Amino acid sequence: MCGLFGVFKPTHLSTDERKALVEIGMLSFFRGTDSTGISVITKKKPASEKVDHFIVKGVNHSIDFFKQEHVLNACFNQKATSIMGHARAATHGTVNQANAQPMRENSIIGTHNGVVRKFTPDKKEEDEYSDSRKLFQAIDNLPIETVLKS
């Protein structure tokens, strides 16, 4: 099953918190080696309500992922308040960039660990969808109660 990791704060992350995130991210290979990614939430000012985000992900082992300069630059973004990470152990869906996580589906940015059989893609969908992507689409498009009941 996949590895989920992160650090979340209402204020900007400290250097030590960023370093710890990178170390935990590298260790996440114990939970998955098919792809790795992070979603970074930033605020210009710590007290600001306005947030921005960006996702960095790749189809590679977490140790290799966190050695890349652009990944480290994302982790050490001085405006970051939260970083959510994922190391994938693929179950449903092709191992590719589209199925690497975190992923954004309209208003949802998510990571997922496990199998959601209700949302398993069929064979012709596997290059573009995983059960996680289909789950996030359902959450974005339907009332959450409906998704939870299914």
Side-chain angles (χ1 to χ4, degrees), residues 84-101:
M84 171 175 57
H86 185 272
R88 184 174 185 221
T91 53
H92 295 104
T94 304
V95 175
N96 60 21
Q97 188 76 11
N99 288 330
Q101 296 181 44

Side-chain angles (χ1 to χ4, degrees), residues 5-16:
F5 55 93
V7 60
F8 302 88
K9 283 179 66 178
T11 60
H12 293 138
L13 300 175
S14 71
T15 300
D16 286 342

Side-chain angles (χ1 to χ4, degrees), residues 10-12 21 25 32 34 40 42 50 52 56 58 76 81 83-85 97 100 102 112-113 132 136 140 146 148-149:
T11 60
H12 293 138
L21 181 278
D34 294 318
V40 181
T42 62
K50 184 175 176 354
D52 290 311
V56 180
F76 286 90
T81 60
I83 302 174
M84 171 175 57
Q97 188 76 11
H112 170 255
N113 176 26
S132 300
F136 300 146
D140 186 59
T146 303
L148 292 173
K149 285 179 184 175

Side-chain angles (χ1 to χ4, degrees), residues 59-128:
V59 181
N60 50 0
H61 192 286
S62 61
I63 291 176
D64 296 329
F65 178 79
F66 281 101
K67 287 181 178 178
Q68 297 174 78
E69 185 175 351
H70 74 284
V71 173
L72 292 172
N73 288 341
C75 291
F76 286 90
N77 181 314
Q78 296 299 307
K79 296 177 183 173
T81 60
S82 302
I83 302 174
M84 171 175 57
H86 185 272
R88 184 174 185 221
T91 53
H92 295 104
T94 304
V95 175
N96 60 21
Q97 188 76 11
N99 288 330
Q101 296 181 44
M103 55 180 61
R104 180 175 180 193
E105 289 298 321
N106 296 317
S107 65
I108 304 296
I109 300 170
T111 63
H112 170 255
N113 176 26
V115 175
V116 185
R117 297 196 196 299
K118 166 81 174 162
F119 296 103
T120 300
D122 59 36
K123 287 291 182 195
K124 64 182 180 229
E125 294 178 313
E126 285 192 333
D127 286 345
E128 295 180 45

